[in-house]
Amino acid sequence: IGIGFAETALFETEPNNSLSRYTELPLNKTINGGASVLPNGKADTDCYLFRITESGYTVLSFKHADDPNNIKDNVAWRIKLTDANGKEFFYTTSAMEKSDINSGIMGLPPGYYYVTVSSHIFSNIEYSLTVSFTKDSTIETELNDSQKTADTITVNTEKSGALTSRYNASDKDYFVFTMQKDGFAVIDFMHDEIKETKDGWNVSVLSSDGKLIY
């Protein structure tokens, strides 16, 4: 029998298979992990904890190489980001072929957050996980999915945002602005070019009582 060992501070620490037994995830650094063969035969789950302390945006990146021993279309990993209360901010899956997943920007308010990487079909392929953070006062604040939780946007200023993939519901971004006196408003909506064929976004303007204006 042979046991290999490589000293590194940026690798998951087992057991980290529950929200009470997690690996701390430093921001803007890449940590590596992989599936373990659990004694009870259940799929391995790796839990990570990170903290946001100021306004800005977060991007989750997840990468791994090909697994030549499995069918490419099989789901290898499930990746989910939640807060300490279990609210979901991002969810996606990764197949067995080489993957480079990027969540897009997420405006997370200050607090503690969990990333769980769950093994769906066992694979001994190593993955890498990065949660990057950039300070920014113009980014939307999730979860702003309804009129009640809308982000405030001041007239003649700009806000940035993105729609992220989720399991339980589709992401929607609501913003609220106030007109101090009679006049007209112009909504400017800008985004980078989309190279694939997609429907894009639906943009609506509602009155305070929910009636469609535009």
Side-chain angles (χ1 to χ4, degrees):
I1 184 172
I3 299 177
F5 173 77
E7 184 176 359
T8 175
L10 294 178
F11 205 91
E12 61 161 322
T13 304
E14 295 283 3
N16 61 340
N17 56 356
S18 70
L19 298 185
S20 59
R21 300 180 71 94
Y22 54 81
T23 297
E24 290 190 14
L25 180 61
L27 295 175
N28 302 312
K29 292 186 178 181
T30 299
I31 194 165
N32 298 316
S36 303
V37 179
L38 302 181
N40 58 11
K42 293 184 178 180
D44 186 22
T45 296
D46 297 331
C47 296
Y48 300 90
L49 175 74
F50 67 92
R51 184 186 180 190
I52 300 296
T53 59
E54 54 189 335
S55 297
Y57 61 86
T58 301
V59 176
L60 184 152
S61 301
F62 182 84
K63 301 178 182 179
H64 64 76
D66 275 319
D67 185 345
N69 300 314
N70 280 295
I71 300 173
K72 298 303 182 185
D73 291 337
N74 284 342
V75 174
W77 311 99
R78 293 188 175 101
I79 305 101
K80 181 168 65 173
L81 190 155
T82 62
D83 66 9
N85 297 317
K87 292 181 180 179
E88 181 185 302
F89 292 82
F90 176 73
Y91 174 89
T92 192
T93 60
S94 177
M96 291 293 181
E97 64 260 39
K98 180 179 179 181
S99 293
D100 187 351
I101 294 171
N102 186 300
S103 67
I105 63 173
M106 296 177 287
L108 304 179
Y112 289 93
Y113 296 89
Y114 292 97
V115 178
T116 56
V117 180
S118 303
S119 176
H120 181 65
I121 296 177
F122 178 76
S123 170
N124 58 6
I125 296 297
E126 184 177 304
Y127 65 79
S128 65
L129 174 67
T130 309
V131 173
S132 61
F133 175 80
T134 303
K135 185 177 179 180
D136 190 336
S137 61
T138 67
I139 198 72
E140 60 162 327
T141 304
E142 296 288 0
L143 297 165
N144 58 340
D145 297 348
S146 68
Q147 285 185 263
K148 291 183 178 180
T149 59
D151 264 331
T152 299
I153 179 170
T154 306
V155 175
N156 297 321
T157 64
E158 184 177 292
K159 280 273 190 179
S160 300
L163 300 181
T164 54
S165 171
R166 296 181 191 163
Y167 181 77
N168 293 321
S170 299
D171 185 13
K172 296 180 180 179
D173 295 335
Y174 279 78
F175 301 90
V176 59
F177 65 93
T178 302
M179 300 291 288
Q180 300 295 338
K181 55 185 178 181
D182 291 346
F184 63 88
V186 177
I187 308 298
D188 286 326
F189 182 79
M190 299 164 287
H191 61 78
D192 292 335
E193 180 184 1
I194 302 175
K195 295 182 179 180
E196 298 126 4
T197 302
K198 294 184 178 180
D199 290 336
W201 293 263
N202 295 321
V203 182
S204 303
V205 178
L206 308 174
S207 62
S208 58
D209 57 1
K211 293 180 179 179
L212 182 64
I213 299 174
Y214 167 79

